[in-house]
């Protein structure tokens, strides 16, 4: 097992008090002048107190001393830069001084022996050396306060740490190559064998080196992030990666959303590239990301034209149209030989085509060529026109630019999500019939271009919406505070009104044979309009007291919400006391119909279940965050998830959803409405609801979808446990996959399943603040399980016959999963 401890010398804690005493003795200066050298034991501190520079001794058993920079306020001594890592000061007296021409020198034995001096030739007339708040130690002209022109700066000579704003990469003019080189050991900061550097051949990529071999490749910049690091999507909330490429420079850097956050990227002494984040509580550096992470991160484990996919077994597969070069080794799990073509390319005839590898980590781009001016269609044409071209892809994820490979494609891997589309050239005979056809009719490029164009349009629309939303914030607020259900009589909604006779005719006068089921606020009927269109009619119970309000509430909300994972409202019908909502008809009814039926559940294979989970997550994210209002569903459950023809999930029944004001995040409600088994502890017990109560219900749903079991009413080996408790005990015991519905086994991806279980458990944690927001949930479902935090014990893991529901009779409701209105909370 790899040890993931950072390079900085934790052992040095012993020496720390010594440093801190001396720093408090010296005047709080951040500069060094030719007249005032820094003696061993003294330090200088940056203006706002973030970084310190001074002498340190990493190895208590050695006299070797170094000049370095470390965090002033981090209780675990952490070095971010070492000046003389390969030239230690070998005894106890030493001085760092600045010469009159602006060179830094470390001298031993009363300035007689120079141990180290700064390289770099630019000189300054009035030099001062200064430690800056961003951790940069610079030599500059004393009269220049601009902090822009430095004769020397430590960030140009990084050690093993990249601080925010530091550049990893090249100054093309001077040939300066800034890279991170690991320390030899925890107690020896001299250069070790591991280096993280930016390779500017072809389309630039970051490489981790071990001596002279690659151990990891980041993939090229794709306009938003490094193609091989899907986790950077999650990053964006905290650290924004940037890539700069111009005539003078090519580099990667990152900036922080919250500048007070302490984070660093390092390469440690065992060759792991890592991002660490300092947490004041519990006063530790936490590992946020690391690479290499898994088998597919090794450099080209599946060889040329092979695809690494952790979800496959074996992990190596060949691209369509290719077969293993060495079938024996391949079967014996050595994929490094790669794959060869089934059919040779037939370039002259012009019949070659392309197979799509989606969600790909693009193959090594070291020898690929990039043309940012080409569209994907032109890219395809360019590739077809060059007989040595093996594949192409968009350079940027937003659909611009063109990368072309003219060598074998190596180090290719795919993820469940987060990659890019790659087109691999194959002979006509190896194209699937569909691809071939579209190629011959010349529409393949159009088919490809459409999603790109659509994506761009959607992006533009969402930007426009966002801008409008921001502009209209004020107005929305006013109208919301004046929100009055009495005013919502259906007239001012841009929603078709159906008349009663139409509906009566369509549903055969609400005949029992047309009844689909019972929703929260009344029965639901299937209907067929005159033109043959099928509809679902939710008829509000006339006798229901609250129903009128909730009906209108639902109508108003749903009319405004449009998302592919929300059921669509076609119109409504108001006739005196009679109120109805007309929805699109969902031929596959609801999720519970499949999930909890031992014969039908076999129809839900793993892929479908996974996509249902993703779909619900996206729908809920839309309700919570992306729609015009912040909406809490409050009654999310399997019977409220409808399924369309293609088994796409659609969330229904917003009858008790609440519109939330922008600044409200939780509210107290006197009336607790919801369904047993899906209600979060704080909601059921105290009537406190928030988006995190929906997250809890979502977590229950995820676990139900995976296990095919109801949270309530199913009894496991231990009769005190409900599904949540059961899942939690399996999780702790390490028999995590036992949770999976046996009707799915063994045809599922263990990786995806573990990820879903983990996300499910994270969502049902007892404390609302521990549960992730839906935006994180959506990201987590697309990232590696090992990177997710460990869940804590779920709320309501145990069946209690009394407990939270004491004031109402549980048996009255638990029978049929209906929405219930419970006793008054506080
Ligand atoms: C400094 O002097 C001591 C003894 O005078 C000697 O052992 C040591 O090697 C000297 N250091 C250097 C760097 O020359
Ligand atoms: C700066 O001065 C030192 C001696 O003080 C000398 O060794 C060094 O070569 C000088 N550097 C430049 C760039 O002039
Ligand atoms: C790159 O190096 C050249 C030559 O040393 C220097 O003039 C230029 O300012 C450097 N560029 C940047 C962006 O630092
Ligand atoms: C790292 O940078 C140093 C100094 O610029 C350079 O000599 C070395 O070749 C670089 N290593 C890699 C792997 O880029
Ligand atoms: C794609 O992204 C790049 C860089 O972010 C930007 O310059 C370009 O305009 C974008 N193109 C489109 C069509 O959005
Ligand atoms: C110190 O300055 C740096 C750089 O300007 C800034 O990011 C950081 O938040 C500051 N820290 C404190 C404690 O003020
Ligand atoms: C071109 O394609 C035809 C039909 O597939 C084939 O018979 C012929 O041999 C090909 N020509 C060359 C030069 O490969
Ligand atoms: C094909 O592409 C390679 C790499 O870009 C290039 O060197 C070669 O000249 C191209 N060949 C033709 C015929 O365009």
């Amino acid at each position: 097992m790899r040890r993931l401890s950072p390079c900085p010398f934790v052992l040095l804690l012993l020496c720390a008090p010594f440093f801190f005493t001396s720093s408090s003795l010296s005047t709080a200066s951040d500069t060094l002048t030719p007249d005032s050298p820094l003696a061993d034991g003294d330090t200088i501190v940056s203006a706002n107190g973030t970084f310190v520079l001074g002498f340190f001794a990493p190895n208590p058993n050695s006299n070797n001393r170094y000049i370095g920079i470390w965090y002033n306020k981090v209780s675990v001594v952490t070095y971010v830069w070492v000046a003389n890592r390969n030239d230690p000061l070998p005894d106890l007296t030493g001085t760092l001084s600045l010469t009159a021409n602006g060179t830094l020198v470390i001298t031993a034995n009363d300035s007689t022996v120079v141990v180290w001096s700064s390289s770099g030739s630019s000189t300054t007339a009035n030099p001062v050396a200064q430690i800056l708040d961003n951790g940069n130690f610079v030599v500059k002209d004393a009269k220049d306060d601009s902090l822009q022109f430095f004769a020397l700066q430590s960030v140009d000579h990084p050690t093993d740490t990249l601080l925010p704003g530091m550049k990893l990469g090249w100054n093309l003019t001077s040939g300066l190559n800034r890279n991170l080189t690991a320390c030899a050991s925890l107690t020896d900061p001299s250069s070790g064998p591991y280096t993280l550097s930016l390779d500017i051949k072809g389309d630039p990529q970051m490489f981790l080196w071990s001596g002279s071999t690659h151990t990891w490749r980041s993939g090229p910049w794709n306009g938003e992030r490094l193609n091989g690091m899907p986790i950077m999507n999650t990053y964006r909330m905290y650290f924004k990666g940037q890539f700069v490429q111009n005539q003078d420079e090519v580099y990667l850097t990152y900036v922080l959303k919250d500048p007070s956050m302490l984070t660093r990227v390092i390469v440690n002494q065992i060759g792991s590239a890592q991002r660490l984040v300092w947490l004041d509580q519990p006063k530790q550096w936490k590992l946020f990301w690391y690479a290499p992470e898994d088998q597919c991160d090794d450099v080209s484990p599946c060889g040329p034209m092979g695809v690494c996919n952790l979800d496959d077994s074996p992990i190596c597969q060949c691209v369509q149209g290719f077969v293993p070069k060495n079938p024996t080794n391949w079967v014996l799990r050595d994929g490094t030989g790669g794959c060869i073509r089934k059919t040779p390319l037939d370039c002259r005839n012009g019949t070659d085509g392309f197979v799509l590898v989606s969600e790909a980590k693009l193959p090594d781009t070291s020898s690929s060529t990039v043309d940012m001016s080409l569209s994907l269609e032109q890219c395809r044409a360019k590739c077809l026109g060059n007989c040595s071209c093996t594949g192409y892809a968009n350079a940027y994820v937003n659909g611009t630019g063109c990368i072309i490979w003219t060598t074998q494609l190596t180090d290719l891997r795919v993820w469940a999500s987060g990659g890019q589309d790659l087109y691999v050239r194959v002979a006509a005979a190896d194209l699937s019939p569909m691809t071939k056809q579209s190629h011959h009719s010349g529409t393949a490029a159009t088919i490809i271009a459409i999603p790109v164009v659509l994506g761009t349009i959607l992006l533009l629309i969402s930007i426009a919406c966002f801008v409008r939303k921001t502009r209209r914030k004020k107005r929305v607020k006013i109208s919301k505070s004046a929100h009055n259900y009495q005013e919502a009589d259906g007239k001012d909604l841009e929603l078709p009104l159906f008349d009663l006779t139409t509906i009566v005719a369509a549903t055969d006068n609400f005949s029992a044979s047309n009844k689909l089921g019972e929703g929260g606020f009344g029965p639901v009927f299937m209907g067929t309009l005159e033109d043959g269109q099928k509809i679902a009619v939710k008829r509000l119970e006339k006798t229901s007291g609250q129903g009128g309000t909730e009906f209108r509430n639902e109508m108003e909300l749903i009319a405004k919400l449009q998302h592919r994972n929300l059921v669509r409202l076609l119109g409504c019908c108001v006739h005196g006391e009679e109120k109805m909502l007309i929805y699109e008809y969902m031929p596959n009814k609801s999720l519970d119909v499949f999930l909890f039926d031992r014969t039908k559940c076999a129809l839900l294979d793993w892929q479908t279940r996974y996509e249902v989970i993703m779909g619900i997550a996206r729908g809920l994210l839309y309700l919570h965050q992306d729609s015009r209002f912040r909406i809490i569903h409050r009654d999310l459950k399997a019977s409220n998830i409808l399924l369309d023809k293609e088994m796409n999930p659609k969330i229904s029944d917003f009858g008790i959803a609440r519109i939330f004001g922008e600044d409200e995040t939780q509210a107290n409600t006197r009336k607790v409405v919801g369904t047993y088994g899906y209600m979060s502890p704080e909601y059921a017990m105290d009537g406190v609801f928030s988006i995190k109560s929906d997250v809890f219900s979502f977590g229950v749903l995820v676990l139900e979808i995976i296990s095919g079991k109801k949270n309530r009413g199913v009894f496991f080996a231990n009769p005190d446990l409900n599904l949540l408790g059961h899942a939690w005990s399996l999780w702790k015991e390490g028999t995590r996959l036992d949770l999976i519905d046996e009707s799915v086994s063994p045809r599922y991806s263990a990786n995806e399943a573990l990820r879903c279980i983990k996300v499910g458990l994270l969502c049902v944690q007892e404390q609302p603040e521990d549960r992730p927001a839906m935006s994180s949930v959506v990201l987590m479902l697309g990232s590696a399980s090992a990177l997710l935090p460990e869940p804590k014990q779920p709320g309501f893991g145990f069946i209690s016959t009394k407990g939270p529901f004491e004031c109402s009779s549980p048996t009255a409701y638990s029978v049929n999963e209906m929405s219930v209105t419970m006793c008054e909370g506080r």
Side-chain angles (χ1 to χ4, degrees):
M1 195 60 210
R2 279 190 173 129
R3 275 192 54 207
L4 295 172
S5 47
C7 168
F9 321 105
V10 182
L11 298 179
L12 253 207
L13 274 171
L14 289 173
C15 313
F18 167 70
F19 288 130
F20 291 138
T21 340
S22 55
S23 83
S24 57
L25 285 178
S26 67
T27 49
S29 162
D30 64 347
T31 48
L32 208 64
T33 60
D35 308 330
S36 65
L38 188 75
D40 203 341
D42 284 347
T43 56
I44 55 174
V45 181
S46 75
N48 74 8
T50 309
F51 290 100
V52 195
L53 178 133
F55 283 92
F56 70 97
N59 186 348
N61 301 321
S62 148
N63 282 341
N64 282 355
R65 303 173 75 71
Y66 302 86
I67 282 286
I69 299 177
W70 61 93
Y71 292 97
N72 194 20
K73 290 169 186 163
V74 167
S75 51
V76 179
V77 182
T78 306
Y79 299 93
V80 297
W81 184 71
V82 182
N84 53 327
R85 66 188 305 183
N86 295 319
D87 307 292
L89 179 69
D91 58 9
L92 291 176
T93 59
T95 318
L96 172 71
S97 46
L98 182 66
T99 65
N101 62 14
T103 308
L104 285 163
V105 291
I106 300 175
T107 47
N109 289 358
D110 297 326
S111 309
T112 51
V113 182
V114 173
V115 198
W116 172 87
S117 72
S118 57
S119 53
S121 53
S122 53
T123 52
T124 319
N126 308 293
V128 288
Q130 186 175 6
I131 173 85
L132 304 180
D133 284 331
N134 58 10
N136 193 5
F137 183 47
V138 302
V139 174
K140 61 183 191 85
D141 192 299
K143 297 200 190 91
D144 178 8
D145 287 329
S146 70
L147 292 187
Q148 276 176 19
F149 306 103
F150 303 125
L152 269 178
Q153 50 178 343
S154 62
V155 293
D156 277 344
H157 308 276
T159 307
D160 62 348
T161 305
L162 196 73
L163 293 172
M166 275 174 74
K167 300 170 180 178
L168 184 84
W170 296 72
N171 177 331
L172 299 172
T173 317
S174 63
L176 174 70
N177 172 11
R178 307 175 199 88
N179 55 34
L180 307 183
T181 301
C183 300
S185 77
L186 287 177
T187 51
D188 177 4
S190 68
S191 303
Y194 304 105
T195 300
L196 186 68
S197 66
L198 189 73
D199 183 348
I200 50 177
K201 286 201 297 293
D203 199 1
Q205 311 171 94
M206 204 157 62
F207 276 107
L208 186 59
W209 294 81
S210 167
S212 57
T213 55
H214 293 166
T215 55
W216 177 73
R217 184 177 67 89
S218 72
W221 184 257
N222 69 11
E224 287 177 5
R225 59 185 169 81
L226 290 163
N227 161 265
M229 290 176 64
I231 193 190
M232 283 175 85
N233 280 338
T234 343
Y235 267 15
R236 252 178 294 175
M237 291 178 278
Y238 303 106
F239 340 97
K240 193 170 174 301
Q242 290 174 345
F243 175 67
V244 175
Q245 181 168 28
N246 55 40
Q247 288 197 324
D248 192 29
E249 295 187 285
V250 186
Y251 65 86
L252 281 162
T253 185
Y254 64 97
V255 293
L256 301 183
K257 205 104 188 244
D258 169 6
S260 67
M261 174 188 261
L262 299 182
T263 177
R264 60 207 170 97
V265 172
I266 64 159
V267 183
N268 76 4
Q269 77 286 355
I270 53 161
S272 173
Q274 311 186 330
R275 174 181 287 283
L276 297 138
V277 179
W278 176 256
L279 297 184
D280 276 328
Q281 238 359 286
K283 298 208 178 302
Q284 277 173 12
W285 287 104
K286 283 290 178 189
L287 184 60
F288 189 91
W289 161 85
Y290 65 96
E293 184 198 350
D294 54 43
Q295 281 173 290
C296 290
D297 270 348
D298 291 350
V299 169
S300 208
C302 302
M305 299 299 182
V307 186
C308 195
N309 183 354
L310 278 189
D311 290 343
D312 281 338
S313 178
I315 54 169
C316 287
Q317 305 287 323
C318 290
V319 177
Q320 183 192 328
F322 293 79
V323 289
K325 185 172 181 190
N326 184 337
T328 316
N329 285 13
W330 193 266
V331 171
L332 295 175
R333 303 291 191 269
D334 174 9
T336 49
C339 306
I340 49 171
R341 286 183 194 283
K342 284 190 198 157
T343 319
L345 292 178
D346 184 6
C347 186
R348 249 155 285 282
N349 256 347
T351 53
D352 295 342
F354 295 93
V355 294
L356 170 64
V357 179
S358 40
E359 306 296 354
K361 173 178 177 180
L362 296 180
D364 194 345
T365 52
S366 300
S367 50
S368 61
T369 42
V370 178
D371 186 340
M372 287 309 293
S373 70
L374 298 185
S375 69
L376 195 63
E377 202 174 337
Q378 292 164 328
C379 196
R380 178 193 169 91
K382 183 173 170 190
C383 185
L384 274 178
N386 185 329
C387 286
S388 44
C389 176
T390 49
Y392 71 96
N394 261 138
Y396 278 6
V397 272
N398 65 6
T400 49
C402 166
I403 312 183
I404 281 186
W405 286 264
T406 48
T407 54
Q408 298 260 52
L409 306 178
T410 58
D411 198 16
L412 173 57
R413 75 176 288 182
V414 293
W415 292 281
S417 65
Q420 271 170 260
D421 284 350
L422 167 75
Y423 299 87
V424 179
R425 184 179 201 160
V426 295
D430 294 332
L431 289 167
S432 67
M434 219 179 74
T435 333
K436 201 168 171 179
Q437 205 179 10
S438 53
H439 169 73
H440 280 312
S441 60
T443 54
T446 336
I447 289 171
I448 295 153
I450 286 170
V452 173
V453 171
L454 271 183
T456 316
I457 292 174
L458 281 179
L459 184 74
L460 288 177
I461 291 176
S462 48
I463 290 171
C465 290
F466 176 74
V467 171
R468 267 178 57 190
K469 183 170 150 190
T470 331
R471 282 209 196 122
R472 281 169 46 168
K473 226 171 186 168
K474 217 168 176 180
R475 248 198 294 160
V476 169
K477 240 183 206 147
I478 293 164
S479 73
K480 233 184 284 172
S481 56
H483 192 78
N484 184 344
Y485 293 122
Q486 300 317 118
E487 292 167 5
D489 58 2
K491 263 184 263 162
D492 47 43
L493 291 175
E494 295 159 14
L495 191 67
L497 277 174
F498 289 74
D499 59 33
L500 188 59
T501 47
T502 312
I503 302 301
V504 167
T507 58
D508 199 7
N509 199 12
F510 304 106
S511 73
S513 60
N514 276 335
K515 189 165 162 181
L516 291 171
E518 197 76 36
F521 307 95
V524 185
F525 295 90
M526 193 195 81
T528 313
L529 295 177
E530 269 181 6
D531 61 5
Q533 189 188 0
K534 294 218 165 147
I535 53 172
V537 179
K538 175 180 262 192
R539 188 182 193 190
L540 183 68
E541 211 84 72
K542 265 181 253 177
T543 50
S544 157
Q546 269 88 32
T549 312
E550 273 142 1
F551 169 80
R552 289 191 191 136
N553 187 359
E554 177 171 18
M555 177 168 63
E556 264 184 45
L557 281 177
I558 296 198
K560 287 168 190 152
L561 302 179
Q562 298 269 343
H563 188 272
R564 68 186 298 260
N565 294 114
L566 300 183
V567 71
R568 201 157 65 87
L569 185 65
L570 300 177
C572 65
C573 172
V574 183
H575 189 91
E577 288 286 280
E578 192 78 67
K579 300 183 184 73
M580 278 164 280
L581 290 174
I582 323 298
Y583 293 104
E584 57 180 333
Y585 174 70
M586 292 287 141
N588 278 325
K589 309 226 167 64
S590 53
L591 184 59
D592 57 332
V593 172
F594 286 86
L595 207 52
F596 305 132
D597 179 311
R598 284 295 91 194
T599 48
K600 283 192 182 158
C601 67
L603 297 172
L604 289 177
D605 61 12
W606 173 257
Q607 197 54 33
T608 311
R609 289 183 200 221
Y610 186 68
E611 269 152 27
V612 165
I613 291 174
M614 287 302 289
I616 300 170
R618 288 192 205 103
L620 200 52
L621 171 63
Y622 174 80
L623 288 178
H624 284 181
Q625 220 173 54
D626 299 343
S627 60
R628 281 171 59 197
F629 308 100
R630 175 183 284 243
I631 288 163
I632 298 180
H633 188 292
R634 295 214 291 169
D635 197 14
L636 197 66
K637 55 181 171 181
S639 58
N640 272 341
I641 306 299
L642 306 186
L643 298 169
D644 72 2
K645 274 208 307 296
E646 278 104 34
M647 300 297 272
N648 291 314
K650 311 235 173 192
I651 300 174
S652 78
D653 217 341
F654 306 98
I656 51 174
R658 278 279 176 107
I659 300 180
F660 252 23
E662 265 99 3
D663 36 28
E664 270 176 288
T665 54
Q666 69 168 44
N668 279 288
T669 174
R670 285 175 51 77
K671 191 161 63 79
V672 174
V673 185
T675 302
Y676 279 132
Y678 292 95
M679 265 186 277
S680 61
E682 74 278 6
Y683 182 31
M685 291 199 270
D686 302 330
V688 177
F689 69 86
S690 67
I691 51 174
K692 295 298 182 70
S693 343
D694 271 359
V695 170
F696 184 94
S697 311
F698 173 78
V700 175
L701 248 179
V702 168
L703 295 174
E704 287 186 338
I705 292 171
I706 293 170
S707 65
K709 299 195 175 63
K710 280 184 196 175
N711 187 27
R712 279 180 67 82
V714 186
F715 296 95
F716 298 95
N718 177 350
D720 289 340
L721 296 181
N722 59 11
L723 176 61
L724 303 191
H726 178 63
W728 175 243
S729 70
L730 294 179
W731 184 262
K732 277 187 309 183
E733 287 158 16
T735 49
R736 303 174 172 184
L737 292 172
D738 288 359
L739 190 67
I740 314 287
D741 193 342
E742 42 307 349
S743 73
V744 173
S745 326
R747 292 178 312 279
Y748 65 92
S749 144
N751 259 318
E752 281 174 4
L754 282 175
R755 194 187 309 150
C756 290
I757 297 173
K758 201 167 189 182
V759 169
L761 285 171
L762 285 168
C763 291
V764 297
Q765 293 176 105
E766 173 107 44
Q767 297 301 328
E769 57 275 15
D770 288 341
R771 295 174 211 146
M774 284 315 293
S775 51
S776 313
V777 168
V778 169
L779 290 171
M780 284 175 173
L781 285 169
S783 46
S785 167
L787 294 173
L788 309 184
E790 275 302 312
K792 298 181 193 156
Q793 173 152 3
F796 280 174
F798 298 88
I799 289 174
S800 88
T801 39
K802 284 188 181 161
F805 305 118
E806 251 169 318
C807 49
S808 67
S809 147
T811 48
Y813 305 104
S814 53
V815 192
N816 63 356
E817 286 283 316
M818 291 264 299
S819 301
V820 291
T821 300
M822 296 218 321
C823 54
E824 302 279 286
R826 286 189 248 141

